[in-house]
């Protein structure tokens, strides 16, 4: 890399718009959406989609809610032409969906495009030609006048071809390709020349698409370009301003969002951002960004994994695990501090009476996208007590007291360090059972028990326990069940424990509910031992928790 890149590259010029209005605006409604997955996206694939994949992708786009779909480039070849004409002839286009085709400004290509749409009820024909200085000078060796003439000649052919097929409701789109690197006044000049021929009205407007064909500047400059264009184009009420941003600088989504603030009406893009080079704007991210701001995008991603499955199959491209909203890991926290914040956020969310979503680190509720909460927190060596507790609560229904969380997290940390891998729910549950003596074969095990109240109000515990394989009858007195069990253990086995804290809760609801009990106790030397008991009966769970602590005290 050059130490002085200014010798090779120059900054993009600012737009002279001192009274720009877009920074003070907010997106309050969705734009018109156009999917260009089947055209711009398809041409960017190593192996373009065949007819089966095209049909599957088309059905997905309709299901998601796209009302405008660019289905291909009819003049590119037989596969494209046959697919598009097949959609029309087989009556596969819903009445509320409009298909669009793309064509360069050449008579033979435009005529081929109209032929592919013969018999359609309604369709958009999208005409384009590049207008920027680099393309005029390097690619086409044309003057401004010649470039404008290419656009107007194409517009006249559009007009005449549409008149020859009056049975179709024709709509037109024109793109001054490479708009983002062209002179604004020349882009407006060319677009107005096209408008002079096509004569759009407020009732039947012309779509003017303003592409960031190559993203060459920061998003605010693109927004300035869009606002300048919107403010200076004649008959603004007779045109629909459409955005088509690419992602060369990694800011395609931001550029489209700011472009909407600047006055645009429509957005073209692809699901998950497929497209040439670094891709087109990602419609999923853009739509869900609006959703998290309380704006209904009018697109349905409530089964995001199904959408991913179809797109990855058709494109043969993966969705990155960190892709916004859609990646496998975007709702997952490994860090202890993140896990603790999320766990507390869910608890606060459950306790609140309103429905407003407010969970740290999660800008959207995963359930709105068809995801569950199982993978929100995953445990490895970076995880903390909150994350471990979350996994146990989600997987086993256990709500550990805070001090028990801290105690158990040390066991999990040791296991994670030893294994050097992510721990799954089964690993954590196995470690919990081992740490708190919940497996069978423990030195002290409960066989049966009973309790009655003495005349003086004391509780009398009687029972049978198995100690190192030998059954013993024990009994003890106390002011409650737990103290009477402790008394019985001290008298029969010499195990003295003082309870420091006790907690219990139900696991599940209804007839299948169980109970969990937690005992924190200290022995004669002041060492702390935790006991856990789980049973269908809450009293029995408490007894088991005391015996669990006794097993821990015995070592």
């Amino acid at each position: 890399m050059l130490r002085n890149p200014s010798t090779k590259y120059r900054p993009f010029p600012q737009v002279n718009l001192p009274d720009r209005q877009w920074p003070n605006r907010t997106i309050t409604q969705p734009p018109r959406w156009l999917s260009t997955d089947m055209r711009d996206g398809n041409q960017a694939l190593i192996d373009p989609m065949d007819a089966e994949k095209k049909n599957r992708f088309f059905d997905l786009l309709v299901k998601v809610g796209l009302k405008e779909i660019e289905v291909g480039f009819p003049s590119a070849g037989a596969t494209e032409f046959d697919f598009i004409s097949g959609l029309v002839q087989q009556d596969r286009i819903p009445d509320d969906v409009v298909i669009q085709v793309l064509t360069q400004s050449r008579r033979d290509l435009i005529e081929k495009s109209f032929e592919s749409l013969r018999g359609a009820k309604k369709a958009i024909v999208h005409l384009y030609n590049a207008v920027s200085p680099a393309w005029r000078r390097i690619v086409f060796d044309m003057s401004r006048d010649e470039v404008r003439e290419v656009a107007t000649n194409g517009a006249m052919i559009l007009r005449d071809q549409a008149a020859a097929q009056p049975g179709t409701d024709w709509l037109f789109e024109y793109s001054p390709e490479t708009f983002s690197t062209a002179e604004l006044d020349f882009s407006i000049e060319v677009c107005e020349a096209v408008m002079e021929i096509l004569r759009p009205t407020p009732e039947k407007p012309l779509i003017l698409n303003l592409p960031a064909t190559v993203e060459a500047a920061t998003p605010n400059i693109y927004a300035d370009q869009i606002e300048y264009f919107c403010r200076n184009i004649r008959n603004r009420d007779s045109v629909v301003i459409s955005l088509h941003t690419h992602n060369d600088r990694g800011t395609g989504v931001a550029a489209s969002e700011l472009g909407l603030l600047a006055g645009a009406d429509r957005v073209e893009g692809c699901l998950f951002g497929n497209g040439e080079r670094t891709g087109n704007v990602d419609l999923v991210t853009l739509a869900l960004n609006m959703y998290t701001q309380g704006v209904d995008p009018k697109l349905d991603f409530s089964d995001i994994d199904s959408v991913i499955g179809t797109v990855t199959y058709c494109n043969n491209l993966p969705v990155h695990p960190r892709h916004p909203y859609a990646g496998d890991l975007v709702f997952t926290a490994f860090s202890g501090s993140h896990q603790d914040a999320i766990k507390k956020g869910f608890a606060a969310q459950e306790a609140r009476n309103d429905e407003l979503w407010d969970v740290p680190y999660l800008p959207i509720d995963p359930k709105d996208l068809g995801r569950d909460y199982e993978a929100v927190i995953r445990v490895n060596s970076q995880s903390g007590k909150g994350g471990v507790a979350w996994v146990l609560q989600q997987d086993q229904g256990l709500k550990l007291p805070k001090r028990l969380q801290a105690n158990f997290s040390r066991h999990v940390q040791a296991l994670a360090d030893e294994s050097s891998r992510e721990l799954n729910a089964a690993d954590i549950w196995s470690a919990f059972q081992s740490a708190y003596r919940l497996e069978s074969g423990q030195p002290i095990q409960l066989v049966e028990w009973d309790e009655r109240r003495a005349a003086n109000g004391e509780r009398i515990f009687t029972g049978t326990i198995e100690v190192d394989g030998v059954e013993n009858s024990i009994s003890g007195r106390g002011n409650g069940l737990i103290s009477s069990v402790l008394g019985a253990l001290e008298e029969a086995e010499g195990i003295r424990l003082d309870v420091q804290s006790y907690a219990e809760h139900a696991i599940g609801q209804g007839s299948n509910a169980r109970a969990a009990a937690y005992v924190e106790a200290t022995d004669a030397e002041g060492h702390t031992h935790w006991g856990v008991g789980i049973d269908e009966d809450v009293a029995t769970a408490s007894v088991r928790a005391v015996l669990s602590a006794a097993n821990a005290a015995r070592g």
Side-chain angles (χ1 to χ4, degrees):
M1 293 178 67
L2 300 175
R3 297 280 66 83
N4 182 15
S6 65
T7 61
K8 188 174 183 179
Y9 304 98
R10 57 187 179 275
F12 199 89
Q14 296 282 333
V15 177
N16 183 21
L17 196 67
D19 61 339
R20 58 183 59 83
Q21 300 299 305
W22 63 261
N24 297 319
R25 294 175 181 156
T26 302
I27 296 174
T28 58
Q29 61 184 18
R32 287 170 52 176
W33 301 105
L34 173 99
S35 161
T36 187
D37 289 272
M38 304 182 70
R39 198 278 303 169
D40 209 345
N42 187 51
Q43 76 179 24
L45 298 177
I46 297 171
D47 297 309
M49 289 182 272
D50 58 18
E52 185 271 332
K53 288 183 175 179
K54 279 176 169 287
N55 278 289
R56 183 178 294 200
F57 212 124
F58 181 80
D59 290 341
L60 171 68
L61 294 171
V62 171
K63 181 180 178 181
V64 164
L66 271 300
K67 302 304 180 186
E68 298 177 39
I69 301 172
E70 193 165 70
V71 289
F73 204 138
S75 58
T79 300
E80 292 279 283
F81 184 94
D82 292 345
F83 169 71
I84 295 165
S85 61
L87 287 175
V88 175
Q89 300 306 320
Q90 296 164 25
D91 198 24
R92 295 199 60 237
I93 306 164
D95 289 341
D96 62 346
V97 172
V98 183
I99 62 170
Q100 174 173 304
V101 298
L102 180 72
T103 179
Q104 292 169 302
S105 188
R106 282 172 38 190
R107 176 174 292 279
D108 59 327
L109 305 185
I110 296 172
E111 290 177 349
K112 191 77 170 178
S113 299
F114 274 89
E115 181 62 28
S116 73
L117 294 168
R118 184 172 296 278
K121 297 173 185 175
K122 189 174 185 178
I124 304 170
V125 181
H126 179 186
L127 176 76
Y128 76 97
N129 66 301
V131 300
S132 68
W135 266 256
R136 296 196 310 260
R137 184 180 70 253
I138 299 169
V139 181
F140 301 120
D141 189 23
M142 286 184 174
S143 67
R144 282 190 174 199
D145 290 344
E146 289 171 318
V147 166
R148 185 177 59 253
E149 186 177 359
V150 169
T152 54
N153 285 342
M156 285 187 281
I157 300 169
L158 286 186
R159 179 195 61 197
D160 296 343
Q161 285 291 308
Q165 295 187 45
T168 298
D169 182 7
W170 295 106
L171 302 172
F172 301 124
E173 175 173 343
Y174 173 68
S175 288
E177 194 195 6
T178 65
F179 164 83
S180 61
T181 52
E183 308 94 333
L184 282 167
D185 290 342
F186 183 57
S187 293
I188 292 172
E189 178 186 328
V190 174
C191 288
E192 289 183 343
V194 169
M195 292 169 64
E196 285 291 327
I197 294 164
L198 296 178
R199 299 290 181 181
T201 64
E203 294 73 31
K204 199 160 189 176
L206 169 67
I207 300 167
L208 291 178
N209 186 50
L210 307 179
T213 306
V214 178
E215 189 177 38
T218 50
N220 61 295
I221 291 180
Y222 183 67
D224 282 348
Q225 293 172 326
I226 300 301
E227 182 169 334
Y228 183 96
F229 188 97
C230 289
R231 287 163 62 169
N232 289 279
I233 190 76
R234 288 204 306 266
N235 302 323
R236 174 66 178 89
D237 62 349
S238 295
V239 295
V240 172
I241 303 301
S242 185
L243 308 176
H244 183 113
T245 58
H246 282 254
N247 203 41
D248 300 88
R249 292 171 55 93
T251 56
V253 168
S256 286
E257 289 180 326
L258 299 191
L260 289 172
L261 295 177
D265 311 295
R266 184 176 183 260
V267 172
E268 301 187 359
C270 294
L271 301 186
F272 307 117
N274 179 42
E276 293 282 13
R277 305 180 311 281
T278 55
N280 291 37
V281 69
D282 175 12
L283 296 185
V284 178
T285 299
L286 192 56
L288 292 178
N289 280 356
M290 294 181 191
Y291 183 83
T292 64
Q293 302 302 300
V295 176
D296 180 3
K298 306 299 183 183
L299 298 179
D300 183 4
F301 297 114
S302 58
D303 187 1
I304 194 75
D305 289 329
S306 175
V307 176
I308 292 169
T310 298
V311 173
T312 54
Y313 168 75
C314 293
N315 287 345
N316 197 26
L317 291 173
V319 171
H320 194 281
R322 299 292 183 190
H323 192 102
Y325 301 109
D328 285 344
L329 297 178
V330 295
F331 300 124
T332 300
F334 291 103
S335 161
S337 60
H338 290 207
Q339 292 172 342
D340 184 61
I342 291 171
K343 179 175 177 290
K344 290 175 179 175
F346 272 111
Q349 187 77 21
E350 187 176 345
R352 284 202 309 272
N353 292 324
D354 62 72
E355 296 182 359
L356 288 177
W357 180 254
D358 189 18
V359 176
Y361 294 113
L362 296 179
I364 192 171
D365 185 348
K367 285 193 173 179
D368 288 355
L369 305 181
R371 296 265 175 93
D372 56 36
Y373 295 147
E374 289 183 7
V376 169
I377 290 176
R378 288 162 59 175
V379 175
N380 62 14
S381 61
Q382 302 298 308
S383 304
K385 62 182 185 297
V388 173
W390 166 269
V391 172
L392 279 175
Q393 181 173 341
Q394 296 299 304
D395 191 58
Q396 298 294 331
L398 300 181
K399 302 174 183 178
L400 307 190
K402 285 188 177 180
R403 287 198 294 275
L404 179 54
Q405 292 178 26
N407 183 275
F408 180 51
S409 69
R410 292 193 289 270
H411 294 270
V412 175
Q413 185 70 44
L415 179 59
D417 288 337
E418 179 183 347
S419 62
S420 298
R421 63 173 176 83
E422 180 188 352
L423 302 181
N424 59 35
D427 294 326
I428 294 170
W429 177 234
S430 178
F432 188 82
Q433 289 176 297
S434 176
Y436 302 107
R437 277 73 175 178
L438 297 180
E439 319 108 313
S440 60
Q442 293 299 322
I444 304 174
Q445 299 185 69
L446 179 66
V447 177
E448 59 182 5
W449 72 279
D450 196 8
E451 180 195 29
R452 59 188 175 84
R453 190 179 296 274
N456 63 358
E458 282 188 312
R459 310 284 280 272
I460 302 174
F461 172 86
T462 59
T464 302
I465 60 174
E466 187 179 283
V467 181
D468 297 327
V470 178
E471 288 191 2
N472 294 332
S473 296
I474 62 173
S475 65
R477 292 172 175 263
N479 59 9
L481 175 59
I482 290 177
S483 61
S484 64
V485 177
L486 291 172
L489 282 173
E490 182 175 5
E491 182 176 331
E493 302 298 327
I495 301 173
R496 180 175 179 180
L497 294 172
D498 293 319
V499 172
Q500 303 301 311
S501 67
Y502 170 82
E504 64 183 43
H505 65 81
I507 304 174
Q509 296 178 339
S511 59
N512 295 321
R514 296 181 299 158
Y518 311 98
V519 169
E520 180 187 19
T522 54
D523 60 22
E525 297 178 353
H527 298 134
T528 298
H529 305 283
W530 279 95
V532 178
I534 300 173
D535 198 89
E536 287 77 11
D537 174 65
V538 65
T540 303
S542 301
V543 175
R544 292 189 185 281
V546 173
L547 296 184
S548 170
N551 277 314
R554 288 191 71 191

